[in-house]
Amino acid sequence: MGADVASWPTGRLLSVAARVVEKRFEDFLAGRGLTHAGMITLHHLADGPRSQRELAVLCKVTDQTMSRTIEHLDRGGHVVRSQDPNDRRRTSVKITPAGRRALAAARREERESDTLLGAVDDYEHFRRQLIALIAAATSTTED
């Protein structure tokens, strides 16, 4: 990227930054046998077991997509699945110690890595700004 980056419109800056960070984070996760979808799923499992259906809703994906994500996480030892004894159609998913370690490593990488967000001076302020931007943008599109 040349010096002209300072002249780019903000939308382009956001788009390019998102793609660059996403690619670097995907590479980091792949090195640990994870995907972005798997990472989001582990995030939702951190507070306790959830049903596959509940995870699909929280992650805003179809049941089939969540099924594939859980299968991948299960094969990698990041989650365990069990059948609900009260409803045999329901699958309960629980994060494993390996899944907790992977989640913690990804969170650390996000906050501390020079490769991912090292150019950000104040991580928490940056997060608040992104949250405000997303909230404002989605409230106008949902109204």
Side-chain angles (χ1 to χ4, degrees), residues 24-39 102 106:
R24 288 179 178 177
F25 199 53
E26 284 174 357
D27 291 347
F28 169 82
L29 292 174
R32 284 144 185 84
L34 290 172
T35 62
H36 186 70
M39 193 64 217

Side-chain angles (χ1 to χ4, degrees), residues 3-134:
D4 74 324
V5 73
S7 70
W8 291 359
T10 302
R12 183 173 182 201
L13 291 170
L14 284 169
S15 178
V16 171
R19 285 194 309 270
V20 169
V21 170
E22 183 176 32
K23 173 69 171 107
R24 288 179 178 177
F25 199 53
E26 284 174 357
D27 291 347
F28 169 82
L29 292 174
R32 284 144 185 84
L34 290 172
T35 62
H36 186 70
M39 193 64 217
I40 294 168
T41 303
L42 291 178
H43 167 77
H44 287 296
L45 289 170
D47 293 331
R50 296 186 185 270
S51 72
Q52 180 175 315
R53 177 74 189 120
E54 185 179 9
L55 286 168
V57 169
L58 288 169
C59 295
K60 299 182 184 344
V61 298
T62 65
D63 290 341
Q64 294 82 2
T65 297
M66 183 50 61
S67 177
R68 288 189 300 272
T69 299
I70 291 170
E71 176 64 32
H72 180 79
L73 289 169
D74 188 26
R75 279 194 317 268
H78 296 104
V79 301
V80 290
R81 296 178 283 182
S82 60
Q83 199 171 49
D84 185 326
N86 299 322
D87 184 350
R88 296 171 58 111
R89 297 168 297 170
R90 182 179 159 137
T91 300
S92 181
V93 184
K94 181 180 177 182
I95 192 170
T96 64
R100 286 195 186 282
R101 286 189 300 274
L103 180 61
R107 288 177 173 167
R108 247 187 336 274
E109 183 74 6
E110 180 184 71
R111 281 180 159 68
E112 300 170 6
S113 169
D114 289 339
T115 305
L116 287 180
L117 296 175
V120 173
D121 294 328
D122 184 343
Y123 177 80
E124 291 304 324
H125 177 71
F126 182 67
R127 277 187 53 81
R128 286 190 304 274
Q129 291 295 111
L130 288 174
I131 291 165
L133 174 66
I134 292 166

